[in-house]
Amino acid sequence: MAHAEGAQIGPSLLQKVARRARALIRRDEISLIFLGFLSGSIAGLFAAGILKASLLLHLGLFGSEHLSALARIEPRWRALAPLAGGLLLGVSGIFIRRWRPNRPVDPIEANALRGGRMSLSDSMVITAQTVVSNGFGASVGLEAAYTQMGAGFASFIGATLGLRRPDLRTLVACGSAGAIAAAFGGPLTGAFYAFELILGAYTPFGLAPVGAAAIGGIVSARALGVGGQFARTAISGVHLSDEDMALLALLGVLCAAFGIAIMRGVAFVEELFRWTRLPLALQPAVGGLIVGGLALVTPAALSSGHGATIALFDAAAPALSAIGLALAVKSVASMISIGSGFRGGLFFASLYLGGLIGQLYCQAIALYFPSVTLDSAISAVVGMTGLAVAVVGGPLTMSFLALETTGDFALSVLMLAIATLVSVIVRRSFGYSFATWRMHLRGESIRSAQDVGWMRDLTVGRLMRTDVEIARSNMRISEFRQRFALGSAQWVVAIDPLGRYKGMVFVPDAHLASADAGDADLDLASLSRLPDQFLVAEMNVKTAAQIFEQSESEALAVVDNSTDRRVIGLLTEAHLLRRYAEELDKARRELSGETFGAAN
């Protein structure tokens, strides 16, 4: 009995290990690098498993692993597979929403708002749904499953060890880096995907663990015979004239416009399904039926488009009409798949669509301007880079993907220029990537994975003083003077007989009131300021600072809610700004790694 009580009171073996590991990671950077490598390696194994599961579904349902590369769907009943996948997602979704009523969090939102905390069970559900969506032929990519599972498991490891917020965010980025590096066979692509899209910034402190994770992801995926699934094309000896550069820059502009149209198209399809008032469980099935019909026009509508992307470089350039048809069908299929409720991303699809735009552009230039000769492969790579930057974001990520795909440094410099141009255009004219656009539609205001969660956590309730001086608004000024001597307090909160907030009283005002004029016989309400300006405990520091700026007051009362207005505290602008500056400096030091090795 005593032994059982001791086991309950004392820390478990797991807790002891976690505490020692946490202390070691905080004290020694090498430990975090090793943990990053481990997370990336596991993410690579997950990516390999996810891909094999999807290809197995492709083979069983369609008789081929690469659906978009098929010449036609035979027999035609196989085109009903997306419908079946939609039914499976819709029916299972009913039970999943009962089991997990809260909306799952992806790595970008986790790092931006939650300090890297993700649910492993939610990540497993999203991964399974993405595999079903892609495996049954919906026009979505697997990259959402790769990063969700890799980052979710990394977050689970970090939370188990009790890592600090910046270390946990870095570990989430490591999981994503390993997954993307394994998927594309490119360590630079994986690492900068993590920096640009998951962390929201490049930091020298994060380079070693994220880079190690990307390498670990490739190594583990290749050990399973997977890795580098993306198209490889050898483009060497690139010589571009000024005219070629100008035309390719114009192609980048067109890709930016097309990418914005795709993102808005997904939102339009979602709104269209809401307008139809179809039950949520039936929407993926209807979307799957439409995608299956489009697949009968051209199988390029199916899945992520990986097989068709390889064909863009391995086969002779198709006819202009065939490219236009594939581009139109794939675009509609992607918008309908995601808009109707299938799980997945647009990373792979944007690469295929961009390649189609590049080849279509190249052939159109040759048709209308015979004296101008653009290389179709270069145009395709420029289109892929431009559209991927427009939809996914990450100009450096896509530039390194072009470098690791083509092996040509001179061309990668051009890709960086195009990627930068597209990024600026989309940011200035639209302001979102596909992931942050989806968050915007849900009411979130974030535009990257930069850590702003601390700002939301820093609420008025955490900053306020609770020892606030309170007086009745019907109290005589003379009585107020006797109760609050000059210098005893600077601000007093006035309340009505029911205890509701009525305003702020500046104590020196009461002592300066002229007794000869009869001011001493007036009640306190005559001196109350800002009767309609107050703070609520749930407000974050940013909202509170805006209210201080509008009210031009040095202090404001804090109430429980806007209806009852029960006073629970007081907050001064000076204290708010000081704490805000302290948190900003803390975030800066964490980002640069200055706090590494600090005492526990």
Side-chain angles (χ1 to χ4, degrees):
M1 183 71 178
H3 174 73
E5 290 177 356
Q8 292 176 353
I9 295 174
S12 67
L13 177 62
L14 181 62
Q15 290 174 326
K16 289 181 179 178
V17 172
R19 185 183 301 115
R20 291 181 180 178
R22 179 169 63 250
L24 183 61
I25 290 168
R26 296 193 64 170
R27 185 171 61 250
D28 187 359
E29 184 180 1
I30 301 298
S31 302
L32 183 60
I33 295 172
F34 172 77
L35 197 57
F37 178 81
L38 177 64
S39 299
S41 300
I42 295 173
L45 295 177
F46 282 135
I50 290 166
L51 177 64
K52 286 182 177 293
S54 178
L55 294 180
L56 187 63
L57 285 173
H58 289 173
L59 194 60
L61 294 170
F62 296 93
S64 173
E65 292 185 344
H66 299 298
L67 308 186
S68 57
L70 292 171
R72 63 183 62 85
I73 303 296
E74 294 289 350
R76 297 173 70 85
W77 60 261
R78 292 184 187 271
L80 293 175
L83 167 63
L87 284 172
L88 179 58
L89 281 181
V91 173
S92 62
I94 296 174
F95 300 98
I96 291 172
R97 282 188 290 272
R98 291 176 181 174
W99 172 49
R100 308 289 295 179
N102 296 327
R103 179 178 57 80
V105 175
D106 66 16
I108 295 177
E109 185 177 354
N111 264 5
L113 300 177
R114 302 172 184 268
R117 293 195 170 271
M118 299 174 63
S119 166
L120 182 58
S121 56
D122 283 347
S123 297
M124 295 171 67
V125 168
I126 291 176
T127 299
Q129 290 176 328
T130 305
V131 170
V132 168
S133 299
N134 180 277
F136 278 76
S139 185
V140 294
L142 289 171
E143 66 278 357
Y146 296 153
T147 56
Q148 186 75 35
M149 197 63 220
F153 193 79
S155 178
F156 170 76
I157 293 175
T160 301
L161 296 176
L163 298 187
R164 298 174 304 170
R165 185 187 189 100
D167 296 337
L168 185 58
R169 293 181 72 249
T170 299
L171 207 59
V172 167
C174 289
S176 299
I180 293 298
F184 289 95
L188 291 173
T189 301
F192 277 86
Y193 180 94
F195 284 128
E196 293 188 300
L197 301 177
I198 307 301
L199 279 176
Y202 166 80
T203 65
F205 166 70
L207 177 59
V210 170
I215 295 171
I218 291 179
V219 171
S220 61
R222 287 180 178 173
L224 295 181
V226 178
Q229 315 140 34
F230 193 59
R232 289 289 188 268
T233 180
I235 301 178
S236 59
V238 176
H239 299 288
L240 298 172
S241 65
D242 292 341
E243 184 180 56
D244 294 336
M245 296 284 285
L247 288 172
L248 292 174
L250 178 59
L251 174 57
V253 174
L254 295 176
C255 288
F258 193 86
I260 294 172
I262 287 285
M263 290 185 281
R264 290 196 178 277
V266 172
F268 172 76
V269 171
E270 288 179 331
E271 186 61 35
L272 189 62
F273 272 99
R274 280 193 291 268
W275 177 79
T276 63
R277 297 186 179 179
L278 274 172
L280 198 61
L282 291 180
Q283 291 181 13
V286 174
L289 183 63
I290 297 173
V291 171
L294 292 172
L296 293 176
V297 178
T298 170
L302 296 173
S303 195
S304 62
H306 178 245
T309 304
I310 296 175
L312 285 177
F313 297 98
D314 291 348
L320 191 65
S321 58
I323 297 175
L325 178 64
L327 178 63
V329 170
K330 185 63 176 178
S331 300
V332 173
S334 297
M335 290 186 289
I336 289 175
S337 295
I338 295 180
S340 63
F342 282 99
R343 284 281 187 186
L346 283 177
F347 195 158
F348 279 102
S350 66
L351 292 170
Y352 174 51
L353 289 171
L356 288 174
I357 293 173
Q359 288 206 346
L360 183 68
Y361 181 80
C362 180
Q363 292 197 27
I365 291 293
L367 179 64
Y368 292 103
F369 304 97
S371 60
V372 179
T373 56
L374 281 178
D375 185 274
S376 62
I378 293 177
S379 298
V381 174
V382 169
M384 293 163 66
T385 301
L387 190 60
V389 170
V391 174
V392 181
L396 281 174
T397 302
M398 302 311 164
S399 300
F400 282 121
L401 177 59
L403 173 62
E404 293 174 320
T405 299
T406 64
D408 189 277
F409 179 77
L411 184 61
S412 68
V413 174
L414 170 64
M415 295 304 106
L416 179 58
I418 298 296
T420 303
L421 173 65
V422 172
S423 179
V424 171
I425 292 173
V426 174
R427 186 172 64 250
R428 297 286 296 177
S429 60
F430 188 62
Y432 300 93
S433 66
F434 181 66
T436 55
W437 170 242
R438 305 278 287 168
M439 294 179 198
H440 169 73
L441 294 178
R442 295 197 299 260
E444 293 289 354
S445 59
I446 62 173
R447 300 199 179 204
S448 74
Q450 289 186 351
D451 190 7
V452 296
W454 65 266
M455 189 181 299
R456 298 191 178 188
D457 294 339
L458 192 63
T459 61
V460 169
R462 290 179 55 190
L463 299 177
M464 69 180 185
R465 290 171 41 197
T466 56
D467 56 338
V468 56
E469 299 287 355
I470 296 176
R472 299 278 185 179
S473 59
N474 57 3
M475 178 186 293
R476 298 295 179 186
I477 293 179
S478 56
E479 181 183 350
F480 181 87
R481 288 174 178 171
Q482 294 175 0
R483 181 175 174 183
F484 298 99
L486 192 63
S488 61
Q490 190 172 19
W491 292 95
V492 174
V493 180
I495 59 173
D496 65 12
L498 297 178
R500 295 173 299 193
Y501 172 75
K502 295 299 291 183
M504 300 284 295
V505 178
F506 190 50
V507 174
D509 286 349
H511 287 270
L512 291 174
S514 173
D516 296 337
D519 288 348
D521 294 328
L522 297 176
D523 59 28
L524 204 57
S526 61
L527 295 179
S528 297
R529 306 181 184 182
L530 308 170
D532 298 319
Q533 297 282 347
F534 52 83
L535 302 173
V536 179
E538 289 76 20
M539 287 179 177
N540 62 47
V541 63
K542 182 178 179 181
T543 304
Q546 291 172 345
I547 294 177
F548 269 113
E549 184 177 359
Q550 294 169 0
S551 65
E552 298 182 354
S553 175
E554 297 176 6
L556 287 172
V558 182
V559 301
D560 55 355
N561 59 69
S562 301
T563 304
D564 297 332
R565 298 189 178 189
R566 306 288 178 181
V567 177
I568 58 175
L570 182 77
L571 181 62
T572 64
E573 184 179 26
H575 181 65
L576 174 82
L577 295 179
R578 183 170 62 253
R579 288 287 290 115
Y580 182 53
E582 289 173 355
E583 291 295 328
L584 275 177
D585 184 61
K586 178 183 176 183
R588 179 194 63 78
R589 288 185 286 111
E590 288 176 346
L591 189 64
S592 63
E594 294 178 24
T595 59
F596 198 86
N600 219 347

